[in-house]
Amino acid sequence: MEKKPTENVLESLFEKTSDYVETRLELTKYKAIKKTAVITSSLISKLVVGALLLSFVMILNIAVGLWLGELLHKTYLGFFALAGFYFVAGLITFRFRDKWLKNPIADSIIDKMAD
């Protein structure tokens, strides 16, 4: 029994649709892999830079604490003065944490995911 031309067209259409869906799924998978790689590499690079900056700031703080201690004639007073400065800076940062930290970080993550 011979196939009707309509059946051939439907089979061809079904095969093409199936191929299209498979291709779209594969493309979506590769896009997800790319986004994951971009976000992960960005996070790792920022962590490395952050670790280096943290080391720099720690050593600088020790130097400033010792220098202030020398000016105040008591080493521990230099470190207390520095601790007081960071306490005030911490209170100010806590007060504006949403505006300065939370929102920019959330926006950055959304931008990375939306690309």
Side-chain angles (χ1 to χ4, degrees), residues 24-95:
R24 290 294 298 175
L25 286 172
E26 208 167 311
L27 180 61
T28 303
K29 180 178 82 171
Y30 288 132
K31 283 183 178 181
I33 290 170
K34 180 183 177 190
K35 281 188 191 288
T36 303
V38 166
I39 290 169
T40 303
S41 65
S42 175
L43 179 64
I44 290 172
S45 67
K46 287 178 181 180
L47 285 173
V48 168
V49 169
L52 291 172
L53 284 174
L54 182 64
S55 297
F56 169 76
V57 169
M58 292 297 291
I59 292 169
L60 182 65
N61 279 314
I62 292 170
V64 170
L66 291 171
W67 176 69
L68 286 174
E70 190 176 302
L71 290 177
L72 299 172
H73 304 293
K74 299 279 187 185
T75 304
Y76 63 89
L77 289 178
F79 286 100
F80 278 138
L82 201 55
F85 168 77
Y86 279 114
F87 180 73
V88 171
L91 289 176
I92 292 169
T93 302
F94 181 77
R95 170 69 177 89

